[in-house]
Amino acid sequence: MKKGLFIIGFAIAPLLAAAQNLITGHITDVRTGEPLIGASVIVKSEKGRGVVSDIDGNFKLQTKVEAPLTLRVEFVGYRALDVDVYDFEEPVEITLRENYNSLSEVVVVGYGTQSRKEFTGSISSINGADVSQRPIQSFDQALAGHAAGVSLAASNGQLNAPSVIRIRGVNSISLSSLPLFVIDGVPVYSDDISTNSAANNPLSDINPSDIESIDILKDAASTAIYGSRAAGGVILVTTKKGRSGRAVTHYNGWVSFTNAVRLPEMLNAEQYTALKNEAITNANNIDGGNRSLVYQLQKNSDGSIVDTDWKDYVYRTGISHNHNIDISGGTENITYYFSVNYSNQQGIFQGNNFERKGIRFNAEDRITNWLTLSLNSNYSSSFNESPDTGSRPGSSMSSYGVTRLALVLPPNVGAYNEDGTFNVNPVSGTLGSGANNSSFPLYNPEARLALTSNTSDNSHFIGNIKFVLRPVKQITWTGQYSLDRINNESTSFASTQLGSGASSSGGSVTNITSRFINEDFNTTLGYDDIFGKLHKISLLVGFDYQHNTTNFWGARATKESDDFFRYYQGGWANVVATGNQIGERNYISYFFRASYTLSDRYFLTTNFRRDGNSALAKNHKYGNFGGLSFGWLISDEPFFKHALSKDAISNLKLNASWGRVGNGNITNDYSSFSLYSSSLYGDASTWDISQQGNDNLSWETSSQTNIGLSFDAFKDRLHVELAYFNNNVDDLILSVPQSPSKGIVGNSILSNVGSMYNRGVEFSLNYQVLNNKEWKWNVSTNFTYLKNEVTALSGDESAIISYTGSGSTNITKIGYSVGSLYGLKTLRVNPENGQRVFLNGAGEEVQYNGLGKWTYLDGRTAKALSGDDYYVLGNALPKWYGGIISNTEWRGFELNFSFSFAGGNKIMNRSKSTITDQIFFNNSTEVLDRWTTPGQDTNIPRLVTGDRYSFGGSVPISEHVENGDFLRLQNITLAYNLPKKVLNNVFIKGVRIYGQIDNAFILTGYSGVDPELSANGNSNTTPGVDYNTGGYGRTFTFGLNLTF
Amino acid sequence: MRRNYLYKYILSGAARSIVILSILTVIGCSDELETTSKTSLSSATVFSTEARIEGLANGLYKSLKTANLYSGYLILYGDLRAEDFVCRTENALTGGYVWSNTFTNTTGDIANTWGQLYAAVNNINTFIDGVSISNVISEAQKNHYLGEAYFLRGLAYYHLVTLYATPYTKDDGASKGIPLRLLAENSSEHNDLERSSVSDVYKQIIQDLDNAERLLPESYETNLLNTTRAHRNTAIALKTRVYLSKGEYTKVVDEAKKIVPQTAAPFSATSGVHSALQEDITTVFGGNYTTTESILSFPMTSSDTPLGVSLSETFYANRIDYVLNSSETGIISDKSWRENDRRRSFVVFNQNIGQNTLAKYKKVSPSVDYVPAIRYSEVLLNYAEASASTGNVALAVQLLQAVRHRSDDTYEFSADDLAAGQIISTIAKEKRIELLGEGLRANDILRKLETFPSKPTLSSMNPISVSPNDDNYIFPIPNSEIQTNSLINK
């Protein structure tokens, strides 16, 4: 949001009254420490005595009133403050806190700004200060729990993992549910753009410290102006701008320490060896076989046994530091903001690093009183590096995934041999067998760390230039060109040495370079006027053209001539092209917005947009969208004013809106075409069907209703907002499953077939518990309740089954929420024989002996369970979520904390299947409670080697479906601002030191690492699955802010 | 206040250009939404030139070369289900459930193989449609291409019917088979299709192969093409296998005669490609992939390597998921397979793992062993079995000895082995030795309605033996088909 930046005048003539007392003081922003220019100060008991603060935030006020007296300090966009003054000797230090909910505040909406009073849609706003000092890579990671209706969590604990963001629920099935990110009017890329295991969310190229504010548009009436790309909501980011006045320089820096938390406890070497052999003995007892006991303890030459905790080789304390310097200032006509940033961060995984060097320059020039030009530019060079953590979508079952390796590798073998070489299998290069008479197909993480690397490197420019031309007062013409360009280079290397995973191909290196260019040009023509003091009209027409291109090319080289080479530029025998791709996507939009305000109490806004999207089928490229909204400021009605005092209830406002937006964010630029691709058959070139198109592919549409109510109470100390929303999404573009015997590529065709809804309520509350010169305490909370249900798919009976790894973990089915959990239903462990009891599709109880034999409880042979016996096991989407934020200040001390919570959902803990799997995998210590004797009551079945069902090894089972409710202390911060007095004669104007803990603790019944992990990233159809996904660390940060 | 005039000048210049640009853009971008792929051809243009149709024809073979088909897994499945290989590694994903016969209708191997075979079928059906109406190629070319398409469709359906349907021999094909898709599918229509009977599926396969025989060229210009593209004798050779699966021995004899016209060694085809045994079998594996013995093989090059895990990695190097069964049930323990037999060179003891491995496919990084689909020695043994079954034991003996003596020229079969009642099992054993690791074993068990025997294990996979009445005797119809085709179980 923009605050009143231009102050009409700050040289107020000295008051002529015969004054006895002179009060001097200094007014600053509590967060930034910057002086506030133009804040008004009055003595409460003295009518008409007032001054405004000058360019340095100082004021001098003469008064006849004797001490003690009370000053009233007010500033646009900030909370008014009463300050008691006891004597006139010392200058009064006053800090004001921004007020994000006041109706006078300006909010950023599509292609412009509106006052919150006139705004009739649904919006949440977040102060940039909330994200600028957190130990994060990209700003989105700090938003959890801050805004009603917005559910947000990083998908995993790898650095720079993209966040899973849902604004008012999942709004699509096949297309991205991510909101559109718009930074200073530039729509930017927000998906992971890496082509290897180093996650790379390009939002991390935005320096969080540069962010002034974040506005989240949630309903169709607000987002419709962004049309086709706004179905998932819009997150508008405004970066800092300079302010007229003396230049201000800030330094802020922090250092942080991150550790992994909540990792499960695994068996030690002796327990492992005993239990694995027990499982073999059990199998022999069941079928009379004579399998040998293959697991043996390994002894070092000094006689000690090898007992390895593989977590020690995978996890570490990540040490990070971040530095930011910005300079801002300006004259009355030119303002500027300039910043440089350096961030160097280590993740909790060995070898997981992030580095960013960024520079930003924002300027605005009022060339004449009818022409303003502004310019924003940001350049970042960023670097991501990570081993395969098994956390990126599709990598849950990777034999390199270190999250899994840290837990399941046999503890009775070491990472190194006694001679210091890596312990690897001489044939396959996987982990060596030690004394075990078995070979392991998983890799030694220590060897992989040394012998492989994965990097993803961005050169990223975001910039725009904009003119605002105002020939007459009523008419505003704007034009803006913006550019978001990323040049990415992703490389992965694996050595020819045994243990790298690529020794069989003689080592390999893959370089893929990709270029993303997003250009946007838009122009708007606005007309604003007021007729007869009662009728305010605002009209806007505009045009927007977006041009997106992607260009990938790369090569994979294998068989290195010497293990010295780690780069593509070395000596390699075979080179083949890989990762090639060219795409182009254009959007053309015409839009119109009209607002009418009557008597400053009744507000009506309508908007219309015609969108064209090149990715849709011929004749279906254009769609018409729009919305209608109205607002009523009830508290300004005479009857209301009569009935209630302004101090009790004020600013009572009702908003209602309806709108329709489109979603055409198909991943593939040419989805509607049936395509043939070229490849090779031996040496002969071929054409092969590579995509089955659909000539009728068109827009997904989402019809959204929003009804909101907001008011202030108790002299504006309490601010409350309530909203009801109902989003009906129709013509969902689905990959409609085709029977595999049709032989259609991918067994699916994209078609507009499904429908679903998201309905819910949002509630947010802000209460100023204390607000005086010494004490400030503010508490805010927000809560969202949401229900998602699929109402139509391609046929009545059809369902979309989705996979995590090789297991079908989720189902999207009519009458259920998107991506409900799916698997075999388990009931208990039979105390008689230790077999897991399942419920088959016919509703009969059957048990499994671990060796392929299924029986009814009476011993009759039963049919083996298969896909036909799967049940829907629970809703995977949180039904309620929210946050609690508290800020307290006392004499320069600040104590802030923010909680986030969510629940009402189930989580498929597939990681538990991993750590109880009855193959060579090490197990968690809970397996010690296994069934051993008849009559024993336990939930761990008898161990039988090779049993992939009873413990969920190869199929998802309901035993591992758990409640996802949690409360997390996202962040707790203790800060101290040095008093001005101390700094009086130094060149430093402000010093703030702080310490904070991120992810301080979590209260949850979930037994896995973390209830917010998502093994499938942002996938709509496979939420709520934790499958070998790396958890979040707990971070301790110490920071310093200096203002010069 | 000081002003930077240069700065101002630049900004106002920029402003002017934006104004102009804005006017131009609003007017000028009507065609901007008509974007097309720069790396793929659309279905509208792909049949438009002769060269592209040639590329499409090659594409048909390519579609049978996917991971679960002739990149190697299809070969693997044929051997794994029986007793000659033992799973060594903890890797259930590379055919492990097929090996242990514990697959279900959701097992990846089951679903993927089905899907990829039908994808090939649809590619072929689409090609047949496109070629039939093409006016950029001659009638002769058209016939040639159609011949290849029919041949490959016959091959694909043969794999489908033998993997997923009750053996024809059980009830003369009366059982439900698989859906017979003969039309190009390119829309959301026609998801539901009943299974045709096994006998109808075979009828279609034979019709396709008969057509192929009629339309295919007698030979190509190069040995490479003679091995990697279908010619007339390829269709005939496949028919000997198909009729054998039906138990129609006289038909096997009729077909085999066309390419094995002699009644005594040396045997070779005398028309079309002169298919014949090579003097040394090891030539065929690794020496020269394009001899006349390799009637059909799928080529591998460093730029077209196998998708998925290659046969060489599965059996021989790097991974070695499956080793040869060294117990008495494995064929390598057979006493009649003597040490001097050249085929013994395919059994290599790996010191590192202490197991015998199959060394027919040895090339790794890159894995460029051709994957054999039909070899002349199979035709001879098919012919031998059919001859013996139709009373011509003398010819059967000749054919059997031709295969054995090529690799062990001093071996004499005992009179018992060659007796009328016994020779068929002697031929069967010869087939196990000769074609070990070439994917034919499971079919021979199935068509004879024998039991998949039990075998030892070296991993935590627990293999089970399955008899003709057990659920897992054949692959189940994949769950993904059941979910989308409501008529599949009708």
Side-chain angles (χ1 to χ4, degrees), chain A residues 291 373 504 676 681-682 742, chain B residues 11 41 189 228 304 318 462:
Chain A
R291 301 169 185 80
L373 269 186
S504 64
Y676 284 73
Y681 173 60
K742 282 168 71 181
Chain B
L11 285 186
L41 284 173
E189 306 283 295
T228 60
D304 179 27
N318 298 336
N462 291 302

Side-chain angles (χ1 to χ4, degrees), chain B residues 214-252:
Chain B
R214 185 169 52 82
L215 297 170
L216 281 169
E218 292 211 347
S219 67
Y220 295 86
E221 282 165 8
T222 65
N223 291 338
L224 176 68
L225 291 176
N226 283 337
T227 300
T228 60
R229 300 273 293 263
H231 47 79
R232 195 189 63 198
N233 289 355
T234 323
I236 296 167
L238 180 58
K239 276 198 277 178
T240 66
R241 192 192 290 177
V242 173
Y243 280 123
L244 202 61
S245 289
K246 287 183 80 180
E248 292 183 0
Y249 299 112
T250 51
K251 293 281 198 182
V252 179

Side-chain angles (χ1 to χ4, degrees), chain A residues 918-941:
Chain A
Q918 292 310 305
I919 54 177
F920 70 94
F921 284 9
N922 194 9
N923 291 160
S924 69
T925 49
E926 67 189 302
V927 171
L928 295 171
D929 294 332
R930 73 218 177 270
W931 185 94
T932 50
T933 40
Q936 184 185 348
D937 254 325
T938 173
N939 61 343
I940 310 285

Side-chain angles (χ1 to χ4, degrees), chain B residues 57-79:
Chain B
N58 279 311
L60 302 185
Y61 292 89
K62 178 77 175 184
S63 64
L64 278 160
K65 235 189 99 178
T66 50
N68 287 65
L69 306 183
Y70 280 105
S71 266
Y73 284 19
L74 201 53
I75 304 295
L76 207 57
Y77 300 147
D79 283 90

